[in-house]
């Protein structure tokens, strides 16, 4: 029987970040994003660094997702992320400090002591955290996400 929703689970080694029944999701994978809707063709992909968004009805929620794997099944999506934070959990000041620190590394491109791949990854992580945190700030007047509302009860 066809359905218009699927279960989205986002988990890290430390905790479950999201478990919701959603109508669609945009997930960062290596090289871009995939859009997932109910009944999607099964696939397994390596995660990238980016903003994972999902819809519950007409409301959109976000989290920063970093590394790991995603498994897409017809009625369920499991994101096994190295790290993930819902928008309302991100410490924007800390993310800004990490962003500034990463940018300073690029000020001296001839420094032989800098691991440039690690510096680029640090910058990308900080940028996505700031992007997702900004969305939370813009929607702070909106109601809590379903996950955080259940956790606070």
């Amino acid at each position: 029987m066809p359905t218009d929703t699927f279960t989205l689970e986002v988990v890290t080694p430390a905790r479950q970040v999201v478990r919701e029944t959603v109508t669609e999701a945009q997930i960062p994978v290596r090289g871009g994003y995939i859009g997932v809707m109910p009944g999607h063709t099964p696939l397994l992909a390596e995660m990238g660094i980016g903003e994972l968004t999902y819809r519950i009805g007409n409301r959109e929620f976000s989290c920063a997702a970093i590394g790991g794997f995603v498994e897409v099944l017809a009625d369920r999506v499991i994101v096994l992320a190295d790290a993930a934070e819902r928008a309302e959990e991100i410490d924007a000041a800390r993310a800004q400090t990490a962003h500034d620190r990463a940018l300073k590394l690029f000020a001296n491109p001839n420094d032989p002591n800098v691991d440039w791949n690690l510096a680029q990854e640090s910058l990308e992580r900080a940028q996505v955290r700031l992007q997702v945190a900004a969305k939370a700030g813009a929607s702070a007047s909106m109601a809590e996400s379903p996950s955080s509302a259940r956790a606070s009860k």
Side-chain angles (χ1 to χ4, degrees), residues 56-120:
I56 299 173
N58 62 355
R59 295 183 58 204
E60 184 174 279
F61 300 92
S62 299
C63 63
I66 298 166
F69 294 91
V70 58
E71 179 181 30
V72 177
L73 303 169
D75 62 346
R76 186 168 150 189
V77 174
I78 303 168
V79 175
L80 302 172
D82 295 336
E85 296 172 278
R86 287 190 313 263
E88 64 272 14
E89 298 172 330
I90 294 173
D91 180 339
R94 187 171 160 243
Q96 186 64 55
T97 299
H99 181 266
D100 295 345
R101 187 173 46 246
L103 281 179
K104 283 181 184 175
L105 292 174
F106 289 97
N108 187 1
N110 298 318
D111 187 342
N113 298 316
V114 174
D115 179 335
W116 295 107
N117 290 330
L118 184 59
Q120 180 64 38

